[in-house]
Amino acid sequence: MYHLTALVTLLALAFYFFTCINVSRSRTRTGVKVPAMSGHPDFERAFRIQMNTLEWMPIFLPSLWLFAIYISDAIAAGIGAVWIVGRIVYFIGYSQAAAKRGPGFAIQAIAAIALWAGALWAAVSRVV
């Protein structure tokens, strides 16, 4: 069973939902009306945080699950938790200033790449 990976998946989705709510709150706070996608730097940063999280989900989630299936539920969940921490660090940094997004981006990118590379290695080693 993959209970830990399922929990991390649900936490990642909860974080993404939080970023969606944050964009809505930012619209209200900054006065950026729907359907506008720009107009205030605070809103634009909130929107980019949400969209960047969404952009990484198709890389992160399949890699997380394939890693869990081929290698280990617990290790996948641990690396997945690191990915979520990286997204939180990214959120905090980018919310303050665009220049502060780097550390969180690096943490989550390394975690996602580790999951992807591990899953790839495990899949290829079973074919060969």
Side-chain angles (χ1 to χ4, degrees), residues 7-124:
L7 180 59
V8 167
T9 299
L10 293 169
L11 289 172
L13 293 173
F15 177 75
Y16 178 68
F17 183 65
F18 168 78
T19 67
C20 295
I21 292 169
N22 187 58
V23 169
S24 178
R25 287 182 181 162
S26 183
R27 277 189 185 281
T28 301
R29 193 172 49 253
T30 61
V32 176
K33 304 290 184 206
V34 172
M37 302 306 286
S38 63
H40 192 283
D42 291 346
F43 168 75
E44 291 173 10
R45 286 193 310 273
F47 181 69
R48 280 306 308 145
I49 292 165
Q50 178 204 3
M51 293 312 298
N52 188 265
T53 302
L54 180 61
E55 291 160 5
W56 276 89
M57 293 291 252
I59 298 165
F60 169 68
L61 289 174
S63 298
L64 172 73
W65 278 94
L66 290 168
F67 191 104
I69 291 164
Y70 282 118
I71 298 175
S72 165
D73 176 47
I75 296 170
I79 298 170
V82 171
W83 185 86
I84 294 169
V85 168
R87 294 310 313 177
I88 292 168
V89 172
Y90 181 85
F91 174 89
I92 292 167
Y94 206 167
S95 293
Q96 296 170 358
K100 294 184 178 183
R101 72 189 190 280
F105 185 87
I107 293 166
Q108 66 87 42
I110 290 167
I113 291 166
L115 290 168
W116 180 85
L120 177 64
W121 171 81
V124 168

